[in-house]
Amino acid sequence: KMQYDTLRHYVESCANLDNDFSYHAFSHLNSDVSYYDTDDTMRFNVFRDWLLSVAFLNTTNPGYFCACVKSMIYTYQYGPYNFTNAPIAVMKYLLDNSNCTSPGLEDLYKNTLRSRHESWLSGDTTKPEDTTIPSLDQIGLGALLHHNSISPNIASSQIYLASFTSSPNPFKHETHLRFHLNRMAYTTIGIYDVLGHQVWGDGKGKSLEAGDHEVVVEGSLLPEGSLYARIETGFGEVRTVKLVKE
């Protein structure tokens, strides 16, 4: 569990850096989530949601995106998306992506099909073998369809960051930034002056669970006048709110 938490933090902190190697963490995370807290059958769903939230943090290295999505293959052991062919659907999506095809992935796909067929032969063969491939929407990965593997499609992806407001506004001492996420998302928040200089925030983001969130901004160190609060998610969604510091 300690390694799992550490590697998640490493990916969130380093995925968008130059010469990034954070994608090597995904294969280790696969093992970690399999062995910690084995009584928690929802841990694979939480892991998959997190993977989806960070899938587009690095938009320059296709290897990052491919490794992240490949880890999603192993998350369908339990939970609401436990479709028989869910892992195969993810493999097929990757194989159809020219940036992600590889001999190893092709072998995994063929071996999975073979294993499915052998399981059917050893069971009730009076029923046809289930070869139906679910859609990405059906297995909780519809967000992948709104992007390509190199850069998020911002125009079509504004469906997870449902709101972004500030109160009080205008303010003197502090203001509260409130927002709602429809699903787990990697979020970064900053405040900028009219020239685009960041005057609040450290530029670092983190994954947040779905639901309502509130960030308190201390105004004593902020310049007076018009400011802009900006929130961005790993899915490419961006919203801004105009602030007035009195």
Side-chain angles (χ1 to χ4, degrees):
K1 181 62 166 60
M2 291 176 62
Q3 178 169 288
Y4 175 77
D5 291 339
T6 299
L7 290 177
R8 277 184 43 152
H9 178 68
Y10 170 51
V11 170
E12 292 185 1
S13 301
C14 301
N16 58 356
L17 300 180
D18 293 335
N19 300 318
D20 167 56
F21 292 97
S22 65
Y23 62 92
H24 291 297
F26 292 123
S27 60
H28 296 287
L29 282 162
N30 297 339
S31 299
D32 296 337
V33 76
S34 296
Y35 292 111
Y36 87 80
D37 199 9
T38 54
D39 292 331
D40 180 11
T41 58
M42 290 300 294
R43 68 191 187 281
F44 292 99
N45 296 278
V46 173
F47 180 48
R48 182 171 57 254
D49 283 346
W50 177 78
L51 289 169
L52 192 57
S53 78
V54 300
F56 300 98
L57 293 188
N58 185 309
T59 58
T60 59
N61 183 353
Y64 173 90
F65 176 84
C66 299
C68 182
V69 176
K70 187 175 181 180
S71 284
M72 299 177 191
I73 293 171
Y74 309 101
T75 65
Y76 290 97
Q77 301 180 45
Y78 307 98
Y81 299 117
N82 186 23
F83 291 81
T84 300
N85 292 319
I88 295 175
V90 182
M91 294 178 212
K92 194 172 185 306
Y93 167 78
L94 288 172
L95 288 171
D96 290 340
N97 186 320
S98 60
N99 291 308
C100 296
T101 55
S102 68
L105 181 61
E106 292 173 359
D107 289 342
L108 178 62
Y109 180 71
K110 293 176 182 177
N111 290 335
T112 304
L113 292 178
R114 185 180 301 112
S115 176
R116 182 188 68 187
H117 185 64
E118 291 173 351
S119 296
W120 175 73
L121 289 175
S122 63
D124 183 3
T125 56
T126 62
K127 297 179 180 179
E129 182 178 355
D130 182 6
T131 60
T132 303
I133 305 299
S135 68
L136 292 187
D137 279 319
Q138 288 176 311
I139 61 175
L141 298 183
L144 296 177
L145 301 174
H146 299 293
H147 306 77
N148 62 54
S149 62
I150 302 301
S151 61
N153 183 337
I154 297 174
S156 65
S157 65
Q158 296 184 2
I159 53 178
Y160 303 123
L161 179 59
S163 63
F164 186 45
T165 62
S166 173
S167 179
N169 188 21
F171 67 98
K172 290 184 178 180
H173 305 294
E174 67 178 30
T175 187
H176 296 237
L177 301 177
R178 299 182 178 90
F179 56 97
H180 181 86
L181 297 173
N182 288 329
R183 70 172 305 148
M184 179 185 286
Y186 180 88
T187 61
T188 306
I189 301 175
I191 295 179
Y192 301 81
D193 62 20
V194 293
L195 297 178
H197 301 133
Q198 187 166 355
V199 296
W200 181 90
D202 57 9
K204 298 179 180 179
K206 62 180 178 180
S207 291
L208 297 176
E209 299 286 347
D212 294 318
H213 298 273
E214 179 175 320
V215 177
V216 179
V217 178
E218 170 58 49
S220 60
L221 299 180
L222 295 179
E224 295 182 357
S226 295
L227 303 168
Y228 294 88
R230 182 179 190 271
I231 185 171
E232 180 177 2
T233 73
F235 298 114
E237 300 168 282
V238 178
R239 291 202 182 197
T240 59
V241 172
K242 184 177 180 180
L243 309 175
V244 176
K245 167 66 186 309
E246 296 180 331

